[in-house]
Amino acid sequence: MAGRGHDARARGRIAARSTRENVERAFTDLAARVAPGDQVWVVLVGHGSSEGDAPRFNLPGPDMTAADFARLLAPFRQQSVAFVDASSASADFAKALAGPNRAIVTATKAAGERNATRFARYFAAALATGAADLDKDGGVSLLEAFTYAQRETARSYEVENRLQTEHAQLDDDGDGNASTTPSVDAPDGRLAASLVLGGVPASADPRVGPLVAKRRALELQVADLRRRRASMDSTAYWQQMETVLVDLARTAHAVRAAGGVQP
């Protein structure tokens, strides 16, 4: 969808104007198509504002509030959701949309960061060029794209010797307390690392998608166990690690057998 004054060169990729009505229709259509275990990515690019406790994403005509998007996301209870608000004054979207199996990214960490943001430019580059693919698995995770865009945004301000007016944050543990330093070893970052665009080619077998999602979830369990090893009983640690590794090996085998690719 496109907002005000979109570039004519993008017309072939635009389905409709980004009015409130069309955005709501797009969410309704998407909810009817997705299956349990699917990933749902929503990326907002444009301008935002914050009035009292109602952060907004600006659209032609009536704007949409965080509460509006919370309502639209409600049907996606059996999917993993990546929601990226790359607009100005977007910080409060993180708390408003937090929930299980949701990774929420905002371009700012405070409602007072109202200047036009640069985060979207680098977030798009991370997904389009593969420059953020740190583990070289052929896909870019939400965490990798976030880290890349956050770093390049900061660098752009440094190069111009300007005060940075935006600071991206991410919440994916559902508590609404977003972090500016997420990682697989931190409370925020593990779900985002499992949400990946690319890396697994399309397959006619409907089992591939859920199996890949399960494999990535098990990989995150391994990382989580390693992070907690020092605080765990040694016997319990190895018992749990063995269980997860066996399940991971079986799942990876099932991905290959179903026609997917093991990164």
Side-chain angles (χ1 to χ4, degrees), residues 61 69 130 145 166 190 239:
F69 283 106
E166 60 186 282
R190 290 192 289 275
Q239 287 176 341

Side-chain angles (χ1 to χ4, degrees), residues 211-249:
L211 284 171
V212 169
K214 180 181 179 181
R215 186 191 66 205
R216 294 196 181 280
L218 289 168
E219 291 170 344
L220 291 179
Q221 287 185 41
V222 170
D224 185 53
L225 281 170
R226 288 172 175 164
R227 182 178 62 85
R228 296 187 291 113
R229 180 177 182 179
S231 62
M232 294 178 64
D233 173 76
S234 178
T235 300
Y237 170 81
W238 286 112
Q239 287 176 341
Q240 292 183 43
M241 181 64 81
E242 181 181 14
T243 299
V244 176
L245 288 175
V246 169
D247 197 4
L248 177 58

Side-chain angles (χ1 to χ4, degrees), residues 143-250:
L143 180 60
E144 287 175 324
F146 172 90
T147 302
Y148 176 88
Q150 183 186 54
R151 182 184 69 242
E152 294 305 309
T153 297
R155 182 178 297 172
S156 72
Y157 283 94
E158 291 173 2
V159 168
E160 297 176 14
N161 196 28
R162 297 183 61 182
L163 178 68
Q164 185 170 340
T165 57
E166 60 186 282
H167 301 83
Q169 60 177 5
L170 183 152
D171 172 74
D172 67 0
D173 64 355
D175 67 356
N177 296 316
S179 171
T180 57
T181 56
S183 75
V184 293
D185 297 320
D188 290 314
R190 290 192 289 275
L191 174 61
S194 74
L195 301 177
V196 179
L197 288 180
V200 180
S203 170
D205 194 323
R207 295 174 298 168
V208 172
L211 284 171
V212 169
K214 180 181 179 181
R215 186 191 66 205
R216 294 196 181 280
L218 289 168
E219 291 170 344
L220 291 179
Q221 287 185 41
V222 170
D224 185 53
L225 281 170
R226 288 172 175 164
R227 182 178 62 85
R228 296 187 291 113
R229 180 177 182 179
S231 62
M232 294 178 64
D233 173 76
S234 178
T235 300
Y237 170 81
W238 286 112
Q239 287 176 341
Q240 292 183 43
M241 181 64 81
E242 181 181 14
T243 299
V244 176
L245 288 175
V246 169
D247 197 4
L248 177 58
R250 289 173 175 167

Side-chain angles (χ1 to χ4, degrees), residues 15-243:
R17 266 177 83 78
S18 295
T19 61
R20 180 189 182 102
E21 180 182 9
N22 285 336
V23 171
E24 291 186 342
R25 183 181 296 114
F27 271 88
T28 300
D29 292 346
L30 181 60
R33 298 200 312 268
V34 295
D38 282 352
Q39 293 182 25
V40 175
W41 287 58
V42 179
V43 182
L44 306 182
V45 179
H47 300 284
S49 59
S50 184
E51 299 178 9
D53 294 327
R56 300 170 181 273
F57 182 69
N58 301 151
L59 296 172
D63 294 336
M64 294 188 68
T65 67
D68 292 326
F69 283 106
R71 171 175 52 83
L72 294 174
L73 289 177
F76 301 99
R77 295 184 180 88
Q78 299 184 70
Q79 291 78 32
S80 296
V81 175
F83 188 99
V84 181
D85 185 350
S87 69
S88 51
S90 54
D92 291 337
F93 270 75
K95 183 169 292 186
L97 302 184
N101 294 318
R102 290 184 184 178
I104 312 299
V105 171
T106 65
T108 74
K109 67 175 183 179
E113 294 185 325
R114 298 188 179 93
N115 292 348
T117 59
R118 304 180 181 187
F119 181 83
R121 179 192 318 169
Y122 299 108
F123 186 82
L127 298 177
T129 66
D133 183 15
L134 299 179
D135 58 11
K136 305 306 177 186
D137 66 351
V140 176
S141 72
L142 179 62
L143 180 60
E144 287 175 324
F146 172 90
T147 302
Y148 176 88
Q150 183 186 54
R151 182 184 69 242
E152 294 305 309
T153 297
R155 182 178 297 172
S156 72
Y157 283 94
E158 291 173 2
V159 168
E160 297 176 14
N161 196 28
R162 297 183 61 182
L163 178 68
Q164 185 170 340
T165 57
E166 60 186 282
H167 301 83
Q169 60 177 5
L170 183 152
D171 172 74
D172 67 0
D173 64 355
D175 67 356
N177 296 316
S179 171
T180 57
T181 56
S183 75
V184 293
D185 297 320
D188 290 314
R190 290 192 289 275
L191 174 61
S194 74
L195 301 177
V196 179
L197 288 180
V200 180
S203 170
D205 194 323
R207 295 174 298 168
V208 172
L211 284 171
V212 169
K214 180 181 179 181
R215 186 191 66 205
R216 294 196 181 280
L218 289 168
E219 291 170 344
L220 291 179
Q221 287 185 41
V222 170
D224 185 53
L225 281 170
R226 288 172 175 164
R227 182 178 62 85
R228 296 187 291 113
R229 180 177 182 179
S231 62
M232 294 178 64
D233 173 76
S234 178
T235 300
Y237 170 81
W238 286 112
Q239 287 176 341
Q240 292 183 43
M241 181 64 81
E242 181 181 14
T243 299

